[in-house]
Structures are given as C-alpha cells and as structure tokens.
Amino acid sequence: SAGTGESVAPTQQASVSATTTTVQNVPLGFGGGAVLAGAVGLYLSEAIGLELGLAYVAPGERRTSSSDASVTPTSTASQVLTASALLVTPALVLRAPSGFVRSHGKVGLIVGWCALSSQTELDNGTTVTRVTREFAGSAAMGVEVAAGLDFEINDFVSVFTEVSSRHLTWSPDSSQ
C-alpha cells in the first residue's frame, strides 16, 4: 500500500529581540513524504487475526528560520530537519462477521529504526556558519490503531483499505 503522511508533533523555534522572546511551535515529524507499507496476516478464526506489517516513511523536510533585527547587521538562522523511519508493526486484527465487505479494527505495536539530520546555517552579517548533525540511537517504540474495510477476493486473499494513527517515541542517544 502507499500513502502520504503529515505529522503534527511540535518542536520549538525561538526568536529573540532586544525586548521580547517569542517561542513558536513548529510541526516536526518523521516523514511528511510518501509512506510505503505492506502487511501479511493470518486469521486464527472468522473474527480474530494477526498481522505483521512493514512500513518505510520516506524522508520529509521541515524548515525553520529566524532573524534578530536588534543587532546590526541583522543576524539570521535557518534550519532544515530531515527525518525518515523503517517500522515493523505486529498487530491484532478484529473483523466483522462474513461477507464480501467486512469492517475491521486493528491495534498493535510499532518498533522502528529512525534517522534524523539537521542542517543549520547561522549568518551574523559577516560570517556564515554551517553545521550538519546526524542523530542515531535506540529503537523507536509506539502503538498503532486502525479501522478499515476488507474486500474478500477468495478464502485466502483479501484487499483492504484503512485509516490509521501511529504514535511513536524515539530518543536518539548520539549525534555527530
């Protein structure tokens, strides 16, 4: 299956002037580009099944910028954050009684391997400094819930469509 993802998890952007400091939330999440996913499953009974999914969240960029006009010349900062993830999603699937079209619900775990890079440019009017950092670390953990429809092709194959929500936590333990 394929789709697109958009995250609304906030990070912060600060801007400082001579008299005030403003902190603004900036959306940041893994991906933001295409999400390619597939799954195989096995129904243990008419209504209960197990599923093992694999998803790749393609890199997506988030850009932030700020400037400080309280100094001469004006200093500016910009940052580009790029994140992607590979996710394994084992899940329990519950589906409605028989029929050509069946509704289903799903709840499962997420184990992921994530990549995050940050490219920052600071310009104080006389010197431009560029810094690139790559973040790495432990596996990401989370949960997934979904609801959808199954279209049964035969006793062994069905095609499904669903809407899902993933909640993932990752804490990188190193950067360079």
Side-chain angles (χ1 to χ4, degrees), residues 39-62:
V40 295
L42 173 67
Y43 278 97
L44 306 174
S45 70
E46 185 72 17
I48 299 173
L50 300 175
E51 179 180 283
L52 182 60
L54 183 66
Y56 174 68
V57 183
E61 288 186 356
R62 296 287 186 263

Side-chain angles (χ1 to χ4, degrees), residues 126-152:
T126 57
T127 306
V128 175
T129 304
R130 291 181 181 88
V131 178
T132 299
R133 293 181 72 187
E134 301 288 334
F135 297 87
S138 60
M141 299 296 290
V143 295
E144 176 183 34
V145 294
L149 298 173
D150 290 350
F151 302 93
E152 192 170 294

Side-chain angles (χ1 to χ4, degrees), residues 88-148:
V88 176
T89 56
L92 174 67
V93 180
L94 303 174
R95 98 177 151 174
S98 64
F100 171 69
V101 179
R102 300 179 185 193
S103 60
H104 75 263
K106 176 170 60 173
V107 62
L109 299 175
I110 301 172
V111 178
W113 293 267
C114 305
L116 175 66
S117 69
S118 167
Q119 297 173 353
T120 305
E121 183 175 292
L122 305 169
D123 183 352
N124 66 7
T126 57
T127 306
V128 175
T129 304
R130 291 181 181 88
V131 178
T132 299
R133 293 181 72 187
E134 301 288 334
F135 297 87
S138 60
M141 299 296 290
V143 295
E144 176 183 34
V145 294

Side-chain angles (χ1 to χ4, degrees), residues 21-95:
T21 299
T22 304
V23 177
Q24 170 187 3
N25 283 337
V26 177
L28 169 67
F30 287 99
V35 178
L36 301 174
V40 295
L42 173 67
Y43 278 97
L44 306 174
S45 70
E46 185 72 17
I48 299 173
L50 300 175
E51 179 180 283
L52 182 60
L54 183 66
Y56 174 68
V57 183
E61 288 186 356
R62 296 287 186 263
R63 296 179 182 272
T64 63
S65 62
S66 63
S67 62
D68 185 355
S70 67
V71 295
T72 303
T74 299
S75 65
T76 60
S78 63
Q79 185 175 38
V80 177
L81 297 165
T82 305
S84 63
L86 178 64
L87 308 174
V88 176
T89 56
L92 174 67
V93 180
L94 303 174
R95 98 177 151 174

